[in-house]
Amino acid sequence: MPYPSSLRGPSGPRRRTLLASAAGAALLAGCSADPDSGGDGPSATDRARARAAQDSAGLLQRYDAVLAAHPALAERLRPLRAEVAAHAEAFGGAKATKSPSPTATASTASPPVVPATEKDALADLATAERTLADRRAKALLDVPGELARLMASVAAAGAAHAYLLREGAR
C-alpha cells in the first residue's frame, strides 16, 4: 500500500531563500568597514606581521646566545639559525645576518639566559621553538591569505626545528 503524498510543501525555508540570504550576508560583510582598516594606527594584519617579526628576532637572539655560550653546537645550530633569520626577514623584520655576530649579541639589553650544559641549552631552544610554533599556529586563524600561509609555513618549520633540537638533546 503506497503512502499518500502530502499536499503540504517541505517545512522550513526554501533553498532560494537561503541562497539569497547567504548572498546578502556576504555582500553586507564585504561592504562593512573593518574596525582595524581605517584610522591612524596599523591594521590587525600589520600588527600580526610585526609581532611575528619580533618573535623571530627574539628567537634569533636565543640562538645567538646559545652559540656564544656553547660554540661546539655551531655546526648543528647554524642551519636552524639561518632559517630563523630568514623567517624574521620574511615577516618584514630587519635583515639578519646568516651567521651570529658577537657585537649583535653583546648589544642586546638583556640577552637570554643560557643553560650551562649543551643538552639543556638544546632542550631550551626546542621549547622556545615549539612554544612559538604553537602560538603561530593559533594566530594564523586570525590573519588573511598570504600572511596565514606564511605563518603556517614558519610554524611548521619551527615544529621541525623543535623536533631536531629535542633529538639532538637526547
Side-chain angles (χ1 to χ4, degrees):
M1 168 178 216
Y3 291 103
S5 62
S6 173
L7 297 176
R8 284 180 46 196
S11 63
R14 297 178 59 140
R15 185 179 348 166
R16 232 181 259 151
T17 306
L18 286 175
L19 289 173
S21 297
L27 183 62
L28 287 175
C31 292
S32 66
D34 178 12
D36 292 324
S37 65
D40 304 325
S43 70
T45 302
D46 291 340
R47 288 192 306 269
R49 185 180 295 276
R51 171 67 190 253
Q54 182 181 11
D55 288 344
S56 289
L59 186 57
L60 194 59
Q61 286 180 344
R62 291 182 86 100
Y63 271 93
D64 288 346
V66 169
L67 286 166
H70 302 287
L73 294 174
E75 186 176 333
R76 171 181 277 156
L77 296 182
R78 196 172 292 124
L80 301 178
R81 185 206 176 275
E83 284 189 15
V84 171
H87 297 160
E89 189 175 340
F91 284 120
K95 185 172 180 164
T97 60
K98 298 296 181 197
S99 59
S101 164
T103 57
T105 303
S107 67
T108 58
S110 57
V113 176
V114 178
T117 68
E118 290 179 2
K119 182 178 178 180
D120 290 342
L122 290 174
D124 188 56
L125 272 177
T127 299
E129 285 272 18
R130 174 44 95 190
T131 301
L132 185 53
D134 290 346
R135 189 166 60 226
R136 285 182 171 151
K138 288 177 187 170
L140 71 88
L141 299 173
D142 298 326
V143 296
E146 283 302 312
L147 182 56
R149 285 185 278 282
L150 177 60
M151 288 182 89
S153 176
V154 173
H161 290 181
Y163 172 78
L164 293 171
L165 290 164
R166 287 248 184 255
E167 289 301 306
R170 289 184 179 182

